[in-house]
């Protein structure tokens, strides 16, 4: 009963999010002073404009911290509006901000947070299209936000087939909504083309296409030991949570199952992209945390068995050890 009450208190308590924010802020402050040599985390020209090479490190850190807060708030609204987790909870937001904070290699990449925000907004609009009689506007805005993110990170365009398949499963893909989605994809690039032409920087417009078709040899030596350990820990927690959902999915409403199936599919696509394009690991990992936080919170909020209570405490210990290890690696 003690273990269960601890899990319930943390999963549904009002103090969970403030505590997570406090611990996250503390971790950001510590790593800011400890990690004295931040490096450029992205490989795409526009995204690199938001890195320490081009901006002062103080501005980059503050910008990234604020963007992470906005992403966390968007995650809260996603659950409040669509009830992805049947309990009213902020655990998924708490998990997201904590996991970002204990991974110092994410702190110097506001581009990753900006891209995560675009993906969150696109998911919000996609979910809103579920079985709507007039889904045209929702599909348009969903792919518009995804396209905005791809301006900074072109790999997001690989998500488009998944979005269209999900829209079909949501009974929201019609001929009109399909073409509306295509228009949504093209609008940001028309804006980019106009800017590139007027500023005589036409290479900015061609860069996304070159980035997509450029085949880079696999080089996993680009990843540090801290990044390897972080992905192993987070993937382990996400897989256990996904398996729990698949086993107990009959308890969820059909609409909720559709949402969670999309999140799991998105996580699988991100894993595949991370395997074949390790040079984009940092940004993909931050996107991975968005869906992973929902799945992990779903497990901890809705499971009540003795085994799940033990796994919850084990997860707390594992996350604490990961934080200490990453902090030690900064030193």
């Amino acid at each position: 009963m003690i273990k269960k009450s601890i899990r319930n208190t943390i999963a549904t308590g009002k103090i969970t999010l403030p505590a997570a924010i406090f611990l996250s802020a503390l971790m950001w402050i510590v790593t800011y002073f400890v990690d004295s040599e931040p490096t450029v985390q992205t490989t795409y020209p526009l995204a690199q404009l938001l890195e320490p090479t081009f901006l002062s490190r103080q501005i980059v850190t503050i910008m990234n911290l604020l963007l992470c807060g906005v992403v966390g708030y968007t995650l809260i609204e996603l659950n409040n509006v669509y009830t992805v987790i049947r309990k009213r909870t902020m655990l998924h937001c708490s998990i997201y901000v904590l996991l970002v904070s204990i991974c110092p290699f994410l702190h110097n990449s506001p581009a990753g947070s900006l891209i995560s925000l675009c993906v969150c907004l696109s998911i919000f609009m996609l979910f809103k299209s579920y079985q709507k009689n007039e889904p045209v506007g929702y599909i348009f805005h969903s792919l518009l936000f995804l396209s905005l993110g791809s301006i900074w990170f072109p790999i997001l365009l690989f998500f488009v087939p998944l979005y269209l398949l999900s829209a079909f499963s949501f009974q929201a893909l019609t001929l009109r909504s399909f073409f509306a989605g295509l228009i949504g994809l093209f609008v940001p690039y028309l804006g980019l083309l106009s800017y590139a032409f007027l500023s005589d920087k036409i290479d900015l417009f061609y860069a996304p296409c070159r980035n997509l078709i450029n085949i880079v040899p696999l080089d996993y030596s680009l990843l540090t030991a801290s990044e390897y350990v972080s992905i192993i820990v987070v993937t382990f927690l996400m897989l256990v949570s996904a398996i729990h959902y698949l086993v107990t999915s009959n308890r969820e409403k059909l609409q909720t199952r559709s949402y969670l199936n999309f999140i799991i599919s998105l996580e699988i696509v991100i894993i595949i992209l991370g395997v074949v394009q390790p040079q984009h690991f940092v940004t993909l990992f931050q996107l991975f945390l968005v869906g992973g936080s929902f799945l992990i919170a779903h497990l901890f909020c809705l499971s009540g068995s003795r085994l799940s209570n033990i796994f919850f405490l084990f997860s707390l210990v594992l996350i604490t050890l990961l934080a200490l290890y990453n902090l030690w690696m900064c030193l």
Side-chain angles (χ1 to χ4, degrees):
M1 287 299 295
I2 294 177
K3 293 180 180 179
K4 184 176 181 180
S5 64
I6 292 175
R7 182 183 61 80
N8 285 337
T9 300
I10 295 178
T12 60
K14 295 181 179 180
I15 198 175
T16 302
L17 184 58
I21 293 173
F22 172 77
L23 293 175
S24 299
L26 184 63
M27 189 70 178
W28 279 69
I29 293 171
V30 172
T31 54
Y32 177 82
F33 290 104
V34 171
D35 189 10
S36 59
E37 296 182 358
T39 57
V40 174
Q41 302 288 334
T42 55
T43 57
Y44 182 57
L46 276 179
Q48 288 176 357
L49 295 176
L50 297 179
E51 303 296 347
T53 304
F54 297 90
L55 299 173
S56 70
R57 192 181 173 197
Q58 292 85 352
I59 293 177
V60 166
T61 302
I62 294 173
M63 186 186 305
N64 199 10
L65 191 57
L66 292 175
L67 284 171
C68 284
V70 176
V71 172
Y73 175 77
T74 307
L75 294 178
I76 294 174
E77 286 301 308
L78 265 170
N79 193 57
N80 288 344
V81 175
Y82 303 111
T83 321
V84 181
I85 303 171
R86 279 181 276 118
K87 289 185 178 180
R88 191 171 183 84
T89 179
M90 295 186 180
L91 183 62
H92 55 301
C93 176
S94 304
I95 291 172
Y96 175 78
V97 297
L98 275 177
L99 290 179
V100 170
S101 69
I102 66 175
C103 297
F105 52 85
L106 299 178
H107 295 185
N108 301 312
S109 181
S113 299
L114 180 61
I115 294 161
S116 297
L117 178 59
C118 290
V119 171
C120 286
L121 293 174
S122 71
I123 293 173
F124 189 95
M125 299 308 297
L126 179 66
F127 284 2
K128 204 171 186 65
S129 71
Y130 184 85
Q131 293 188 354
K132 286 291 191 297
N133 293 328
E134 293 293 336
V136 175
Y138 302 128
I139 300 299
F140 169 82
H141 286 99
S142 177
L143 292 183
L144 173 68
F145 285 123
L146 188 68
S147 183
L148 281 173
S150 71
I151 292 292
W152 299 92
F153 189 56
I155 305 302
L156 292 187
L157 293 176
F158 287 120
F159 293 173
V160 173
L162 174 61
Y163 272 65
L164 294 177
L165 288 173
S166 298
F168 178 78
S169 69
F170 292 172
Q171 300 179 23
L173 188 63
T174 63
L175 191 62
R176 290 179 62 214
S177 63
F178 173 76
F179 283 106
L182 290 183
I183 294 172
L185 281 175
F186 290 142
V187 166
Y189 285 91
L190 289 176
L192 179 62
L193 176 61
S194 301
Y195 170 78
F197 178 77
L198 293 175
S199 60
D200 197 24
K201 297 178 181 178
I202 199 66
D203 283 345
L204 284 178
F205 178 73
Y206 296 131
C209 295
R210 287 200 300 265
N211 190 278
L212 284 176
I213 64 177
N214 185 29
I215 299 177
V216 179
L218 296 180
D219 185 7
Y220 296 107
S221 65
L222 296 172
L223 277 62
T224 64
S226 177
E227 292 170 347
Y228 272 116
V229 173
S230 297
I231 190 61
I232 290 172
V233 170
V234 174
T235 303
F236 169 71
L237 294 176
M238 192 277 293
L239 286 177
V240 172
S241 303
I243 292 171
H244 169 265
Y245 157 70
L246 294 174
V247 171
T248 62
S249 60
N250 60 324
R251 302 176 187 174
E252 303 290 346
K253 296 188 300 182
L254 180 60
Q255 183 174 354
T256 304
R257 288 205 299 268
S258 299
Y259 294 156
L260 288 168
N261 288 339
F262 169 79
I263 291 174
I264 291 176
S265 301
L266 185 64
E267 296 292 275
I268 293 173
V269 172
I270 292 172
I271 290 174
I272 294 173
L273 290 174
V275 171
V276 300
Q277 299 202 2
Q279 70 273 19
H280 299 306
F281 165 80
V282 172
T283 305
L284 288 171
F285 184 67
Q286 196 156 350
L287 290 174
F288 188 67
L289 295 181
V290 171
S293 62
F294 264 110
L295 295 173
I296 297 170
H298 185 276
L299 167 64
F300 292 149
C301 288
L302 301 179
S303 62
S305 65
R306 181 179 177 84
L307 182 61
S308 65
N309 295 328
I310 295 174
F311 182 73
F312 175 74
L313 295 177
F314 170 75
S315 300
L316 289 180
V317 174
L318 194 62
I319 291 173
T320 303
L321 292 176
L322 176 62
L324 294 175
Y325 174 78
N326 285 341
L327 190 59
W328 177 71
M329 290 299 291
C330 285
L331 295 173

